[in-house]
Amino acid sequence: MAFVNENFLKLRSGFLFPEIARRVREYEQEHRGVSVIRLGIGDVTEPLPPAISAAMRAAVEDLTRRSSFRGYGPEQGYDFLREKIVEHDFHSRGCDIAIDEVVVSDGTKCDMANILDIFAPENRVAVTDPVYPVYVDTSVMAGYTGDPGETGEFEGIVYLPATPANDFCPDLPDEPVELIYLCYPNNPTGAVATRDTLQKWVDYAKSNGAIILYDAAYECFITDPGIPHSIYEVPGAREVAIEFRSYSKLAGFTGVRCAYCVIPKDLTGKTRDGSEVPVRDLWLRRHTTKFNGASYIAQRGAEAVYDPEGKRQAQTIIRHYMANARIIVDALMSLGLNAYGGVNAPYVWVKTPGEETSWDFFDRLLREAQVVTTPGAGFGSAGEGFVRISAFSSRENVEEAVHRLTTHLS
Ligand code: MLT
């Protein structure tokens, strides 16, 4: 009999979102005919912007003609997309990023999990707490951790509490770490990192030989002009940070699938004998071996995000989600609840009333108001006592959800 990867057995429960989906399904089966409003998983609801879907249709047409047909594309992405990325996402913000430092993929979740392939499991990993659970669960799967303790926290991971007291931007670790996951605008708290905060992390990584894995999947929701969209806006980041970007929330691509990461050539790791190795080369070696490129159709769609019309239409949808977030925040505040985020991020992080636990509040909102949220405890122990409400929905659903919350919580 073949041996299994026992690291998977360290994970006590299923992944957070399928677990929530299971509970909601069970509730719906017991209560046939009720209308449940889903503000749990952050999945886009609005259809693709027409300029972007037109580009994808044209790409399908390309594939139907011998003269423009394409088979396998370059694993690291087509130049037509990478050129746009470099110009619009980085050069326009003064970030010095070259086209051969951009690697296109089919998603940030997979990139952030797969990146662990090229690092050594003895690295100590730091995460903010609460945290997008993929960083922790995939570190466990890849053997970077020991077993979970009583509280569910894994030995080998340094958890950095993100609380209202520190504006959800934790202090630097007080023990050595080599890999640091940061996500800003933050999932789940909706917090943002200022330039000073990012500079503090970059300086820490430089002086401690650490690498920052910077998840910027929600950068398109930043409304405050002073907040950096990329970690490379901060001096020194090229030497210590890998940035991950996605079209999922920016252009409604959660089903289409297209993302990219940036690994500057200046970023190095070390071997056991102390020699320096460019991390980008390892990632390219991995990517070109294990991946055959994001689909041509998805990449043509992503390219259209940078055209003036595509950009304008994508922005309209982003403004729609952010107006939803405002409606949710206002309603929660008028109920006397403490609500955070929702200004530069599509997530609202809400303190549960009194001592109510995250899962109890989640269950109460599901049973009494038929509104699905995400229990904060699912993002880590410092998320206990909070729930996350997603602004990804239609206006009608958000208004109805707010009406139900107001009725049941006032
Ligand atoms: C979330 O709800 O946290 C996100 O939708 C999950 C994801 O992006 O994978």
Side-chain angles (χ1 to χ4, degrees):
M1 201 181 279
F3 294 107
V4 298
N5 177 350
E6 291 187 34
N7 293 316
F8 280 69
L9 306 179
K10 297 175 188 165
L11 296 165
R12 280 184 181 156
S13 52
F15 188 56
L16 177 62
F17 295 109
E19 171 58 23
I20 292 169
R22 191 191 61 74
R23 289 191 186 216
V24 174
R25 246 191 338 268
E26 224 171 75
Y27 175 80
E28 282 178 321
Q29 274 158 10
E30 285 163 17
H31 302 84
R32 300 227 175 244
V34 296
S35 89
V36 171
I37 299 177
R38 288 172 165 73
L39 304 179
I41 188 166
D43 192 5
V44 293
T45 54
E46 303 309 291
L48 292 176
I52 294 169
S53 53
M56 292 169 72
R57 266 194 294 276
V60 172
E61 288 304 315
D62 287 347
L63 300 182
T64 61
R65 286 186 298 265
R66 182 168 297 279
S67 57
S68 50
F69 175 75
R70 309 207 183 197
Y72 292 125
E75 293 89 347
Q76 61 272 44
Y78 284 102
D79 281 357
F80 63 73
L81 176 58
R82 299 199 302 160
E83 278 161 10
K84 291 270 168 66
I85 289 171
V86 163
E87 180 193 339
H88 292 264
D89 291 345
F90 298 101
H91 293 178
S92 67
R93 297 195 170 272
C95 308
D96 171 25
I97 297 297
I99 184 170
D100 59 356
E101 295 172 324
V102 174
V103 185
V104 176
S105 75
D106 61 354
T108 289
K109 179 177 175 176
C110 6
D111 276 353
M112 298 214 68
N114 292 334
I115 200 81
L116 294 173
D117 272 9
I118 64 167
F119 294 108
E122 52 264 48
N123 284 316
R124 276 144 310 175
V125 169
V127 295
T128 61
D129 178 12
V131 69
Y132 179 43
V134 168
Y135 315 150
V136 170
D137 288 8
T138 58
S139 299
V140 174
M141 291 173 182
Y144 281 58
T145 74
D147 289 318
E150 292 279 286
T151 57
E153 293 183 348
F154 288 90
E155 185 204 324
I157 293 192
V158 176
Y159 294 83
L160 308 169
T163 64
N166 58 23
D167 289 332
F168 304 101
C169 291
D171 292 339
L172 296 170
D174 53 14
E175 55 189 297
V177 296
E178 286 84 30
L179 293 178
I180 303 162
Y181 286 95
L182 293 180
C183 171
Y184 290 107
N186 186 252
N187 178 12
T189 64
V192 278
T194 63
R195 199 170 293 275
D196 287 349
T197 299
L198 291 183
Q199 188 70 63
K200 178 183 84 171
W201 281 105
V202 165
D203 292 346
Y204 171 88
K206 278 180 86 165
S207 18
N208 291 276
I211 290 179
I212 298 170
L213 304 172
Y214 191 69
D215 183 349
Y218 297 94
E219 71 72 37
C220 58
F221 297 98
I222 294 174
T223 50
D224 180 338
I227 298 295
H229 287 238
S230 165
I231 195 163
Y232 304 117
E233 290 178 51
V234 167
R238 278 186 58 86
E239 292 149 60
V240 292
I242 301 176
E243 181 163 310
F244 300 83
R245 293 273 192 111
S246 169
Y247 297 94
S248 283
K249 314 289 155 74
L250 165 62
F253 272 30
T254 54
V256 174
R257 311 306 306 153
C258 194
Y260 68 87
C261 75
V262 176
I263 309 194
K265 291 190 275 280
D266 312 15
L267 183 77
T268 55
K270 67 175 182 203
T271 60
R272 283 200 185 82
D273 68 10
S275 23
E276 283 193 42
V277 179
V279 170
R280 184 198 68 132
D281 296 357
L282 298 187
W283 181 245
L284 278 180
R285 184 68 174 85
R286 184 212 172 274
H287 200 73
T288 51
T289 307
K290 292 195 177 183
F291 186 63
N292 262 335
S295 102
Y296 172 67
I297 301 162
Q299 292 189 65
R300 280 294 187 199
E303 180 193 23
V305 173
Y306 299 102
D307 290 343
E309 195 48 26
K311 196 174 267 185
R312 194 189 59 73
Q313 292 172 4
Q315 282 301 325
T316 303
I317 298 176
I318 288 168
R319 278 199 299 275
H320 158 81
Y321 291 133
M322 294 315 288
N324 284 350
R326 189 72 257 159
I327 293 170
I328 296 168
V329 171
D330 287 348
L332 294 166
M333 304 270 250
S334 67
L335 286 167
L337 293 170
N338 288 324
Y340 306 90
V343 176
N344 292 293
Y347 295 126
V348 182
W349 187 241
V350 194
K351 175 74 192 73
T352 61
E355 297 298 304
E356 198 163 355
T357 69
S358 297
W359 279 105
D360 284 351
F361 193 48
F362 163 89
D363 278 330
R364 183 151 77 93
L365 294 180
L366 177 60
R367 290 179 185 280
E368 292 179 9
Q370 290 80 46
V371 172
V372 181
T373 58
T374 306
F379 296 100
S381 57
E384 181 53 276
F386 291 87
V387 295
R388 190 192 74 175
I389 302 184
S390 158
F392 291 113
S393 199
S394 64
R395 182 61 41 79
E396 193 189 350
N397 272 352
V398 165
E399 282 172 351
E400 174 61 19
V402 156
H403 170 70
R404 293 184 193 178
L405 294 178
T406 311
T407 310
H408 290 278
L409 295 175
S410 39

